[in-house]
Amino acid sequence: MIKTPIKKIRTVFTVKNKTVLTPHFIRVVFDIREDQMELLSCVCSGSNNKIFIPPQHCNIIYFPDRAREIDTELLATLRTYTNRKVDLQKRELTVDFVAHGDNGPAARWAINATAGDCLGIGIKQSDKPLVPDAEAYLLVGDATAVPVISAILEQLPEGVAVKVFLEVATREDEMPLISAATTDITWLHNPQPERGSSLSAVVKELTDVHPIPNHYVFIAAEHTTVKTLKDYFRVQLEWNPRLIYTAAYWRSGASEGTAV
């Protein structure tokens, strides 16, 4: 079977509007231009993307591959993010940012973003669903995974059971999660996630060790949490590794997460 090659998109989007959703979540909506419509026609809401952040007081995106011809201080900074939604009817691309102050380039950009500002975004074209069909789901994530888990829930059908564990900074950061599926949601609060998390301990305590057949697990969080839960489900409980997806979206003390 010949696989269709994945096409990578890299272009510049312009801010349409911005909304402060909660004390630590900022939603930025970008205009989708006519020439970008076809590029995004095979992009799934909730898929991973790269963002290219311009330096402060600069509204031009110089991608990193121009390092030989552009002053390095003007080059965009690369981060990995999840698009919250692609809406071709409204011609809007939505990205939700987690903001714990302005010490990081992505949060700083989002805090200061206004209509007309530019952001470089790289996306892989794919119509592959975020999760496969299953009878039940376990979705686990910290604040960085709220956008993708929200998108997953919106795409699930009726008739499936979903258990969700989400860790955010404060109670005020809890957001409505919409799904046709039957959901059981547990919110945890952690104002200083860089100092450690109880997410893995709570998941192990409140998860049935015997999954029903065709039970899919999705885990996305800080590296230590992801590694702990990956070992727990795959090694200790011996759940089917083909039905477990794990991704470390960030690592405490580092600026970029890596897949686990």
Side-chain angles (χ1 to χ4, degrees), residues 24-102:
H24 295 95
F25 282 95
I26 298 172
R27 173 164 293 171
V28 180
V29 178
F30 299 89
D31 276 314
I32 299 177
R33 302 190 309 264
E34 181 66 33
D35 61 298
Q36 295 170 329
M37 289 286 287
E38 185 176 352
L39 294 176
L40 296 179
S41 62
C42 291
V43 174
C44 178
S45 292
S47 59
N48 280 349
N49 51 255
K50 302 291 185 180
I51 60 173
F52 299 86
I53 309 155
Q56 288 183 283
H57 313 302
C58 178
N59 197 34
I60 301 176
I61 307 300
Y62 295 109
F63 291 103
D65 58 9
R66 298 190 63 185
R68 293 184 178 182
E69 55 184 289
I70 299 294
D71 188 329
T72 55
E73 294 182 356
L74 296 176
L75 294 176
T77 300
L78 175 65
R79 291 292 183 269
T80 302
Y81 262 71
T82 302
N83 80 69
R84 176 62 182 84
K85 189 172 185 179
V86 177
D87 190 329
L88 296 180
Q89 289 187 331
K90 293 184 178 180
R91 296 194 176 188
E92 293 179 346
L93 170 65
T94 300
V95 179
D96 288 352
F97 293 80
V98 182
H100 286 281
D102 63 354

Coordinates of all heavy atoms in Angstrom, one line a residue, residues 24-102:
H24 N -5.2 32.0 32.7 CA -3.9 31.5 32.1 C -4.1 30.9 30.7 O -3.2 30.2 30.2 CB -3.4 30.4 33.1 CG -2.9 30.9 34.4 ND1 -3.7 30.8 35.5 CD2 -1.8 31.5 34.8 CE1 -3.1 31.3 36.5 NE2 -1.9 31.7 36.1
F25 N -5.2 31.2 30.1 CA -5.4 30.8 28.7 C -5.8 32.0 27.8 O -6.7 32.7 28.1 CB -6.5 29.7 28.6 CG -6.0 28.4 29.0 CD1 -6.2 27.9 30.3 CD2 -5.4 27.5 28.1 CE1 -5.8 26.6 30.7 CE2 -4.9 26.3 28.5 CZ -5.1 25.8 29.8
I26 N -5.1 32.1 26.7 CA -5.3 33.2 25.8 C -5.7 32.6 24.4 O -4.9 31.7 23.9 CB -4.1 34.2 25.6 CG1 -3.8 34.8 26.9 CG2 -4.4 35.2 24.5 CD1 -2.6 35.7 26.9
R27 N -6.8 33.0 23.8 CA -7.1 32.5 22.5 C -6.9 33.5 21.4 O -7.3 34.7 21.5 CB -8.6 32.1 22.4 CG -9.1 31.7 21.1 CD -10.5 31.0 21.2 NE -10.2 29.7 21.8 CZ -11.2 28.9 22.2 NH1 -12.5 29.2 22.0 NH2 -11.0 27.7 22.8
V28 N -6.1 33.1 20.4 CA -5.8 34.0 19.3 C -6.4 33.4 18.0 O -6.1 32.3 17.7 CB -4.3 34.2 19.1 CG1 -4.0 35.2 18.0 CG2 -3.6 34.8 20.4
V29 N -7.2 34.2 17.4 CA -7.8 33.8 16.1 C -7.1 34.5 15.0 O -7.0 35.7 15.0 CB -9.3 34.1 16.1 CG1 -10.0 33.7 14.8 CG2 -10.0 33.4 17.3
F30 N -6.7 33.7 14.0 CA -6.0 34.3 12.8 C -6.9 34.2 11.6 O -7.7 33.3 11.4 CB -4.8 33.5 12.5 CG -3.8 33.4 13.6 CD1 -3.8 32.5 14.6 CD2 -2.7 34.4 13.6 CE1 -2.9 32.5 15.6 CE2 -1.8 34.4 14.7 CZ -1.9 33.4 15.7
D31 N -6.8 35.2 10.7 CA -7.5 35.2 9.4 C -6.9 34.1 8.5 O -5.6 34.0 8.5 CB -7.4 36.6 8.7 CG -8.4 37.5 9.2 OD1 -9.6 37.2 9.3 OD2 -8.1 38.7 9.5
I32 N -7.7 33.4 7.8 CA -7.2 32.5 6.7 C -7.4 33.2 5.4 O -8.6 33.4 5.0 CB -7.9 31.2 6.8 CG1 -7.7 30.5 8.1 CG2 -7.4 30.3 5.6 CD1 -8.4 29.2 8.2
R33 N -6.3 33.6 4.7 CA -6.5 34.3 3.4 C -6.9 33.3 2.4 O -6.9 32.1 2.5 CB -5.1 34.9 3.0 CG -4.5 35.9 4.0 CD -3.3 36.6 3.3 NE -2.4 35.6 2.8 CZ -1.3 35.1 3.4 NH1 -1.0 35.5 4.6 NH2 -0.5 34.3 2.8
E34 N -7.4 33.9 1.3 CA -7.8 33.0 0.1 C -6.8 32.0 -0.3 O -7.1 30.9 -0.6 CB -8.2 33.9 -1.0 CG -8.7 33.2 -2.3 CD -10.1 32.5 -2.0 OE1 -10.9 33.0 -1.2 OE2 -10.3 31.4 -2.6
D35 N -5.5 32.5 -0.4 CA -4.4 31.6 -0.9 C -4.0 30.6 0.2 O -3.3 29.6 -0.1 CB -3.2 32.4 -1.2 CG -2.6 33.2 -0.1 OD1 -3.3 34.1 0.5 OD2 -1.5 32.9 0.3
Q36 N -4.6 30.7 1.4 CA -4.3 29.7 2.5 C -5.4 28.7 2.6 O -5.2 27.7 3.3 CB -4.0 30.4 3.8 CG -2.8 31.3 3.8 CD -2.7 32.2 5.1 OE1 -3.8 32.6 5.6 NE2 -1.5 32.5 5.5
M37 N -6.5 28.9 2.0 CA -7.7 28.0 2.1 C -7.3 26.6 1.7 O -7.6 25.6 2.4 CB -8.8 28.6 1.4 CG -9.5 29.8 1.9 SD -10.5 29.5 3.4 CE -11.9 28.7 2.7
E38 N -6.7 26.5 0.5 CA -6.4 25.1 0.0 C -5.4 24.5 0.9 O -5.4 23.3 1.1 CB -6.0 25.2 -1.4 CG -5.7 23.8 -2.1 CD -5.3 23.9 -3.5 OE1 -5.4 25.0 -4.1 OE2 -5.0 22.9 -4.1
L39 N -4.4 25.2 1.4 CA -3.3 24.7 2.2 C -3.9 24.0 3.5 O -3.4 23.0 4.0 CB -2.4 25.8 2.6 CG -1.5 26.5 1.5 CD1 -0.7 27.6 2.1 CD2 -0.6 25.4 0.9
L40 N -5.0 24.6 4.0 CA -5.6 24.1 5.3 C -6.7 23.2 5.1 O -7.3 22.7 6.0 CB -6.0 25.3 6.1 CG -4.9 26.3 6.6 CD1 -5.5 27.4 7.4 CD2 -3.9 25.5 7.4
S41 N -7.0 22.9 3.8 CA -8.2 22.0 3.5 C -8.0 20.6 4.1 O -9.0 19.9 4.3 CB -8.5 22.0 2.0 OG -7.4 21.4 1.3
C42 N -6.8 20.2 4.3 CA -6.5 18.8 4.8 C -5.8 18.9 6.1 O -4.9 18.1 6.4 CB -5.7 18.0 3.8 SG -6.6 17.6 2.3
V43 N -6.1 19.9 6.9 CA -5.5 20.0 8.3 C -6.6 19.8 9.3 O -7.7 20.4 9.2 CB -4.9 21.4 8.4 CG1 -4.4 21.6 9.9 CG2 -3.7 21.5 7.5
C44 N -6.4 18.9 10.2 CA -7.4 18.5 11.2 C -7.3 19.5 12.4 O -6.2 19.9 12.9 CB -7.1 17.1 11.7 SG -8.2 16.5 13.0
S45 N -8.5 19.9 12.9 CA -8.5 20.7 14.1 C -7.9 19.9 15.3 O -8.2 18.7 15.5 CB -9.9 21.1 14.5 OG -10.5 21.9 13.6
G46 N -6.9 20.5 16.0 CA -6.3 19.9 17.1 C -4.9 19.3 16.8 O -4.2 18.7 17.6
S47 N -4.5 19.4 15.5 CA -3.2 18.8 15.1 C -2.1 19.7 15.5 O -2.2 20.9 15.8 CB -3.2 18.6 13.6 OG -3.4 19.8 12.9
N48 N -0.9 19.1 15.7 CA 0.3 19.8 16.1 C 0.8 20.7 15.0 O 0.6 20.5 13.8 CB 1.4 18.9 16.4 CG 1.3 18.3 17.8 OD1 0.4 18.7 18.6 ND2 2.1 17.3 18.1
N49 N 1.3 21.9 15.4 CA 1.9 22.8 14.5 C 3.1 23.5 15.1 O 3.3 23.4 16.3 CB 0.9 23.8 13.9 CG 0.2 24.5 15.0 OD1 -1.0 24.3 15.3 ND2 0.9 25.4 15.7
K50 N 4.0 24.0 14.3 CA 5.1 24.8 14.7 C 4.7 26.3 14.6 O 4.1 26.7 13.6 CB 6.4 24.5 13.9 CG 6.8 23.1 13.9 CD 7.4 22.7 15.2 CE 8.0 21.2 15.1 NZ 8.5 20.8 16.4
I51 N 5.1 27.1 15.6 CA 4.9 28.5 15.5 C 6.2 29.2 15.5 O 7.2 28.7 16.1 CB 4.0 29.1 16.6 CG1 4.6 28.8 18.0 CG2 2.6 28.5 16.5 CD1 3.8 29.5 19.1
F52 N 6.3 30.2 14.7 CA 7.5 31.0 14.5 C 7.3 32.4 15.0 O 6.5 33.2 14.4 CB 8.0 31.0 13.0 CG 8.2 29.6 12.5 CD1 7.2 28.9 11.9 CD2 9.5 29.1 12.5 CE1 7.5 27.6 11.4 CE2 9.8 27.9 12.0 CZ 8.8 27.1 11.5
I53 N 7.9 32.7 16.2 CA 7.5 33.9 16.9 C 8.5 35.0 16.6 O 9.7 34.8 16.8 CB 7.5 33.6 18.4 CG1 6.7 32.4 18.8 CG2 7.1 34.8 19.2 CD1 7.1 31.7 20.0
P54 N 8.1 36.2 16.2 CA 9.0 37.2 15.9 C 9.6 37.8 17.2 O 8.9 37.7 18.2 CB 8.1 38.3 15.1 CG 6.8 38.0 15.7 CD 6.7 36.6 15.9
P55 N 10.7 38.5 17.1 CA 11.2 39.1 18.3 C 10.3 40.3 18.7 O 9.5 40.7 17.9 CB 12.6 39.6 17.9 CG 12.6 39.7 16.4 CD 11.6 38.6 16.0
Q56 N 10.5 40.7 19.9 CA 9.6 41.8 20.4 C 9.8 43.1 19.5 O 10.9 43.3 19.0 CB 10.0 42.2 21.9 CG 9.5 41.2 22.9 CD 9.8 41.6 24.3 OE1 11.0 41.5 24.7 NE2 8.8 42.1 25.0
H57 N 8.8 43.8 19.3 CA 8.8 45.0 18.5 C 9.1 44.8 17.1 O 9.5 45.7 16.4 CB 9.7 46.1 19.1 CG 9.6 46.2 20.6 ND1 8.5 46.6 21.2 CD2 10.5 46.0 21.6 CE1 8.6 46.7 22.5 NE2 9.9 46.3 22.8
C58 N 8.8 43.6 16.6 CA 9.0 43.3 15.2 C 7.8 42.5 14.7 O 7.4 41.6 15.3 CB 10.3 42.4 15.0 SG 10.6 41.9 13.3
N59 N 7.2 42.9 13.6 CA 6.1 42.3 13.1 C 6.3 41.7 11.7 O 5.4 41.6 10.9 CB 4.9 43.3 13.0 CG 3.5 42.6 12.8 OD1 3.3 41.5 13.4 ND2 2.6 43.2 12.1
I60 N 7.5 41.3 11.4 CA 7.9 40.6 10.2 C 8.5 39.2 10.6 O 9.3 39.1 11.5 CB 9.0 41.3 9.4 CG1 8.4 42.7 9.0 CG2 9.4 40.6 8.1 CD1 9.4 43.6 8.3
I61 N 8.0 38.1 9.9 CA 8.5 36.8 10.2 C 9.7 36.4 9.3 O 9.5 36.3 8.1 CB 7.4 35.8 10.1 CG1 6.1 36.2 10.9 CG2 7.9 34.4 10.5 CD1 6.3 36.3 12.3
Y62 N 10.8 36.3 10.0 CA 12.0 35.8 9.3 C 12.2 34.3 9.8 O 12.6 34.1 10.9 CB 13.2 36.6 9.6 CG 13.1 38.0 9.0 CD1 13.0 39.1 9.9 CD2 13.2 38.3 7.7 CE1 12.9 40.4 9.4 CE2 13.1 39.6 7.2 CZ 12.9 40.7 8.0 OH 12.8 41.9 7.6
F63 N 11.9 33.4 8.9 CA 12.0 32.0 9.4 C 13.5 31.6 9.6 O 14.4 32.2 9.0 CB 11.4 31.1 8.3 CG 9.9 31.2 8.2 CD1 9.3 31.9 7.1 CD2 9.1 30.6 9.1 CE1 8.0 32.0 7.0 CE2 7.7 30.7 9.0 CZ 7.1 31.4 8.0
P64 N 13.8 30.6 10.5 CA 15.1 30.3 10.9 C 16.0 29.9 9.8 O 17.3 30.1 9.9 CB 14.9 29.1 11.9 CG 13.6 29.4 12.5 CD 12.7 29.9 11.3
D65 N 15.5 29.4 8.6 CA 16.4 29.0 7.5 C 17.0 30.2 6.8 O 17.8 30.0 5.9 CB 15.6 28.1 6.6 CG 14.4 28.7 6.0 OD1 14.2 29.9 6.2 OD2 13.6 28.0 5.3
R66 N 16.7 31.4 7.2 CA 17.3 32.6 6.6 C 18.4 33.1 7.5 O 18.8 34.3 7.3 CB 16.2 33.7 6.4 CG 15.1 33.3 5.5 CD 14.2 34.5 5.1 NE 14.9 35.5 4.4 CZ 14.4 36.7 4.1 NH1 13.2 37.0 4.4 NH2 15.2 37.6 3.5
A67 N 19.0 32.3 8.3 CA 20.0 32.7 9.3 C 21.2 33.2 8.6 O 21.9 34.1 9.1 CB 20.4 31.5 10.2
R68 N 21.5 32.8 7.4 CA 22.7 33.2 6.7 C 22.6 34.6 6.1 O 23.6 35.3 5.8 CB 23.1 32.2 5.6 CG 23.5 30.9 6.1 CD 24.0 30.0 4.9 NE 24.5 28.7 5.4 CZ 24.9 27.7 4.6 NH1 25.0 28.0 3.3 NH2 25.3 26.6 5.1
E69 N 21.3 35.1 5.9 CA 21.2 36.4 5.3 C 20.5 37.4 6.2 O 20.5 38.6 5.8 CB 20.3 36.2 4.0 CG 18.9 35.5 4.3 CD 18.1 35.2 3.1 OE1 17.6 36.2 2.5 OE2 18.0 34.0 2.7
I70 N 20.0 37.0 7.4 CA 19.3 37.9 8.2 C 20.0 38.0 9.6 O 20.5 37.0 10.1 CB 17.9 37.5 8.4 CG1 17.1 37.5 7.1 CG2 17.2 38.4 9.5 CD1 17.0 38.9 6.5
D71 N 20.1 39.2 10.2 CA 20.6 39.3 11.5 C 19.9 38.3 12.5 O 18.7 38.3 12.5 CB 20.4 40.7 12.0 CG 21.1 41.0 13.3 OD1 21.3 40.1 14.2 OD2 21.5 42.2 13.6
T72 N 20.7 37.5 13.2 CA 20.1 36.5 14.1 C 19.1 37.0 15.1 O 18.2 36.3 15.5 CB 21.1 35.7 14.8 OG1 22.0 36.6 15.5 CG2 22.0 34.9 13.8
E73 N 19.2 38.3 15.5 CA 18.3 38.9 16.4 C 16.9 39.1 15.8 O 16.0 39.3 16.6 CB 18.9 40.2 16.9 CG 20.1 40.1 17.7 CD 20.6 41.4 18.3 OE1 20.0 42.5 17.9 OE2 21.6 41.4 19.0
L74 N 16.8 39.1 14.5 CA 15.5 39.2 13.9 C 14.8 37.9 13.5 O 13.7 37.9 13.1 CB 15.7 40.1 12.6 CG 16.2 41.5 12.7 CD1 16.4 42.1 11.4 CD2 15.2 42.3 13.6
L75 N 15.5 36.8 13.7 CA 15.0 35.5 13.3 C 13.9 35.1 14.3 O 13.9 35.4 15.5 CB 16.0 34.4 13.3 CG 17.1 34.6 12.2 CD1 18.2 33.5 12.4 CD2 16.6 34.5 10.8
A76 N 12.9 34.4 13.7 CA 11.7 34.0 14.6 C 12.2 32.8 15.5 O 13.1 32.0 15.1 CB 10.6 33.5 13.7
T77 N 11.6 32.7 16.6 CA 11.8 31.6 17.6 C 10.8 30.5 17.4 O 9.6 30.8 17.2 CB 11.7 32.2 19.0 OG1 12.7 33.2 19.2 CG2 12.0 31.1 20.0
L78 N 11.3 29.3 17.3 CA 10.5 28.2 17.1 C 9.9 27.5 18.3 O 10.6 27.3 19.3 CB 11.3 27.1 16.3 CG 10.6 25.8 16.0 CD1 9.4 26.0 15.0 CD2 11.5 24.8 15.4
R79 N 8.6 27.2 18.3 CA 8.0 26.5 19.4 C 7.0 25.5 18.8 O 6.5 25.7 17.7 CB 7.3 27.4 20.4 CG 8.2 28.2 21.3 CD 9.0 27.4 22.2 NE 9.9 28.1 23.1 CZ 11.2 28.5 22.8 NH1 11.7 28.1 21.7 NH2 11.9 29.1 23.7
T80 N 6.6 24.5 19.5 CA 5.6 23.5 19.1 C 4.3 23.8 19.8 O 4.2 23.9 21.0 CB 6.0 22.1 19.4 OG1 7.2 21.8 18.7 CG2 5.0 21.1 18.9
Y81 N 3.2 23.9 19.0 CA 1.9 24.2 19.6 C 0.8 23.4 18.9 O 1.1 22.7 17.9 CB 1.5 25.7 19.5 CG 1.8 26.5 20.7 CD1 3.1 26.8 21.1 CD2 0.8 27.0 21.5 CE1 3.4 27.5 22.3 CE2 1.0 27.7 22.7 CZ 2.3 27.9 23.1 OH 2.6 28.6 24.2
T82 N -0.4 23.4 19.4 CA -1.5 22.7 18.8 C -2.5 23.7 18.4 O -2.9 24.6 19.1 CB -2.2 21.8 19.9 OG1 -1.3 20.9 20.4 CG2 -3.4 21.0 19.3
N83 N -3.0 23.6 17.1 CA -4.0 24.4 16.7 C -5.3 24.0 17.4 O -5.6 22.8 17.5 CB -4.2 24.5 15.2 CG -4.9 23.3 14.6 OD1 -6.1 23.1 14.8 ND2 -4.2 22.4 13.9
R84 N -6.1 24.9 17.9 CA -7.3 24.6 18.5 C -8.4 24.3 17.6 O -9.2 23.3 17.8 CB -7.7 25.7 19.5 CG -9.1 25.5 20.2 CD -9.1 24.3 21.1 NE -10.3 24.1 21.7 CZ -11.4 23.5 21.2 NH1 -11.2 23.0 20.0 NH2 -12.5 23.3 21.8
K85 N -8.5 25.0 16.5 CA -9.6 24.8 15.5 C -9.2 25.4 14.1 O -8.6 26.5 14.1 CB -10.9 25.4 16.0 CG -12.1 25.0 15.2 CD -13.4 25.4 15.8 CE -14.6 24.9 15.1 NZ -15.9 25.4 15.7
V86 N -9.6 24.6 13.1 CA -9.5 25.2 11.7 C -10.9 25.3 11.2 O -11.6 24.3 11.1 CB -8.7 24.2 10.8 CG1 -8.6 24.8 9.4 CG2 -7.2 24.1 11.3
D87 N -11.4 26.5 11.0 CA -12.7 26.7 10.5 C -12.7 27.4 9.1 O -12.5 28.6 9.0 CB -13.5 27.6 11.5 CG -15.0 27.7 11.2 OD1 -15.3 27.6 10.0 OD2 -15.7 27.9 12.2
L88 N -12.8 26.6 8.1 CA -12.7 27.1 6.7 C -13.9 28.0 6.4 O -13.8 28.9 5.5 CB -12.5 26.0 5.7 CG -11.2 25.2 5.9 CD1 -11.1 24.1 4.8 CD2 -10.0 26.1 5.8
Q89 N -15.1 27.7 7.0 CA -16.3 28.5 6.6 C -16.1 29.9 7.1 O -16.4 30.8 6.4 CB -17.5 27.8 7.3 CG -17.9 26.5 6.6 CD -19.2 26.0 7.1 OE1 -19.6 26.2 8.3 NE2 -20.0 25.3 6.3
K90 N -15.6 30.0 8.3 CA -15.4 31.4 8.9 C -14.0 31.9 8.5 O -13.7 33.1 8.7 CB -15.4 31.4 10.4 CG -16.8 31.1 11.0 CD -16.8 31.1 12.5 CE -18.2 30.9 13.1 NZ -18.2 31.0 14.6
R91 N -13.2 31.1 7.8 CA -11.8 31.4 7.5 C -11.0 31.9 8.7 O -10.4 32.9 8.7 CB -11.8 32.5 6.4 CG -12.4 32.1 5.1 CD -12.1 33.0 3.9 NE -12.6 32.5 2.7 CZ -12.4 33.1 1.5 NH1 -11.6 34.2 1.4 NH2 -12.9 32.6 0.4
E92 N -11.0 31.0 9.7 CA -10.4 31.3 11.0 C -9.5 30.1 11.4 O -10.0 29.0 11.4 CB -11.4 31.7 12.1 CG -12.1 33.0 11.8 CD -13.1 33.2 12.9 OE1 -13.4 32.3 13.7 OE2 -13.6 34.4 13.0
L93 N -8.3 30.4 11.9 CA -7.4 29.4 12.5 C -7.3 29.9 13.9 O -6.8 31.0 14.2 CB -6.1 29.4 11.8 CG -5.0 28.6 12.5 CD1 -5.3 27.1 12.6 CD2 -3.6 28.8 11.8
T94 N -7.6 29.0 14.9 CA -7.5 29.4 16.3 C -6.4 28.6 17.0 O -6.2 27.4 16.8 CB -8.9 29.0 17.0 OG1 -9.9 29.8 16.4 CG2 -8.8 29.4 18.5
V95 N -5.6 29.3 17.8 CA -4.6 28.8 18.6 C -4.7 29.3 20.0 O -4.8 30.5 20.2 CB -3.2 29.1 18.1 CG1 -2.1 28.5 19.0 CG2 -3.0 28.7 16.6
D96 N -4.8 28.3 21.0 CA -4.9 28.7 22.4 C -3.5 28.6 23.0 O -2.7 27.7 22.9 CB -5.8 27.8 23.1 CG -7.3 28.0 22.8 OD1 -7.6 29.0 22.1 OD2 -8.1 27.2 23.2
F97 N -3.1 29.7 23.8 CA -1.8 29.8 24.4 C -2.0 29.7 25.9 O -2.9 30.2 26.5 CB -1.2 31.1 24.1 CG -0.8 31.3 22.7 CD1 -1.7 31.7 21.7 CD2 0.5 31.1 22.2 CE1 -1.4 31.8 20.4 CE2 0.9 31.2 20.9 CZ 0.0 31.6 20.0
V98 N -1.1 28.9 26.6 CA -1.0 28.9 28.0 C -0.1 30.0 28.5 O 1.1 30.1 28.0 CB -0.5 27.6 28.6 CG1 -0.5 27.6 30.1 CG2 -1.3 26.4 28.0
A99 N -0.5 30.9 29.4 CA 0.2 32.1 29.8 C 0.5 32.0 31.3 O -0.4 32.2 32.1 CB -0.5 33.3 29.4
H100 N 1.8 31.7 31.7 CA 2.2 31.8 33.0 C 3.2 32.9 33.1 O 4.4 32.7 33.3 CB 2.9 30.5 33.5 CG 1.9 29.3 33.7 ND1 1.2 29.2 34.9 CD2 1.6 28.3 32.9 CE1 0.4 28.1 34.8 NE2 0.6 27.5 33.6
G101 N 2.7 34.1 32.9 CA 3.6 35.3 32.9 C 4.2 35.4 31.5 O 3.8 34.6 30.6
D102 N 5.1 36.4 31.3 CA 5.6 36.6 30.0 C 7.1 36.2 29.9 O 7.8 36.8 29.1 CB 5.5 38.1 29.6 CG 6.3 39.0 30.5 OD1 6.8 38.5 31.5 OD2 6.3 40.2 30.3

